[in-house]
Amino acid sequence: MSASDTVLTNVRKLAEDVSAREGCYLYDIEFVGMGAARVLRVTIEKEAGGVSVEDCTNVSRGMNVVLDAEDVVPGDSYSLEVSSPGLERVLKEPRHYERAIGKKISLKSFAPLLQFNEQVQELGKAKSFEGKLLGYDDKALKVAWPTKQVEGAVGDEENGFYKEVTIPFETITKAHTVFEYIEKAKPGQKSPHKGKSSGGSKK
């Protein structure tokens, strides 16, 4: 384990303790930037009710106290940011994917998806994906690749057809949930329209 990994591990433990004390849990933590421009980003979540501005403020205040007392971050000064996951959540850990099963996700792979899914030739040279997360195991994700080719696909004409695609964790460079909203049907409309947001702002 590198020195930077050790630092982040120590900070993670402090963040978990502070978050729990405030009735939240740690969703994600990372250092971004370099030197004096470094930012420690702490993302917190709640099992129910959602994270409030007050929650973020309390965790931020608590983190500042323990970070100063423990002095676990060496080097230049840095900034601390505490926020909720937002509408489109970063997916990094198994527990993140667990809560995203059945939801639409977007991800990028450094390798062509066809390399692991020769049965789905329409993947072509695609290295990115957007579709429903079906499940996962300790090695890969199982996702639904939307397709118009009925042969070998699952689904129906009303809800659409898809083929199951496997994406190894080790090839994923970035992944997050996709927020979808459903417009209420106006008088005379038969069904609502489902769309994708342009991204929600974090608190």
Side-chain angles (χ1 to χ4, degrees), residues 114-154:
L114 183 60
Q115 180 177 331
F116 316 102
N117 301 274
E118 295 182 357
Q119 78 283 6
V120 188
Q121 288 297 310
E122 58 263 41
L123 287 171
K125 298 181 180 180
K127 293 183 180 181
S128 60
F129 166 86
E130 192 168 285
K132 182 183 294 185
L133 175 61
L134 301 175
Y136 70 96
D137 55 28
D138 58 344
K139 294 182 179 180
L141 297 180
K142 302 294 184 181
V143 293
W145 177 273
T147 181
K148 294 182 179 180
Q149 297 185 14
V150 178
E151 184 177 354
V154 178

Side-chain angles (χ1 to χ4, degrees), residues 22 41 57 59 62-63 67 80 88-89 101 115 127 135 137 144 156 170-171 179 188 194 198:
E22 298 299 333
R41 289 180 178 166
T57 300
V59 171
M63 284 294 296
L67 287 171
L80 171 66
E88 298 195 329
R89 299 166 178 241
I101 291 177
Q115 180 177 331
K127 293 183 180 181
D137 55 28
D156 54 49
E170 62 184 17
T171 70
F179 174 69
K194 182 181 289 187
S198 58

Side-chain angles (χ1 to χ4, degrees), residues 21-58:
R21 189 167 66 236
E22 298 299 333
C24 305
Y25 67 86
L26 182 66
Y27 184 85
D28 189 32
I29 187 169
E30 63 177 347
F31 265 112
V32 296
M34 299 179 65
R38 287 186 304 169
V39 177
L40 174 59
R41 289 180 178 166
V42 176
T43 307
I44 58 175
E45 178 64 300
K46 273 186 170 179
E47 289 295 344
V51 174
S52 67
V53 174
E54 183 178 5
D55 291 324
C56 293
T57 300
N58 291 340

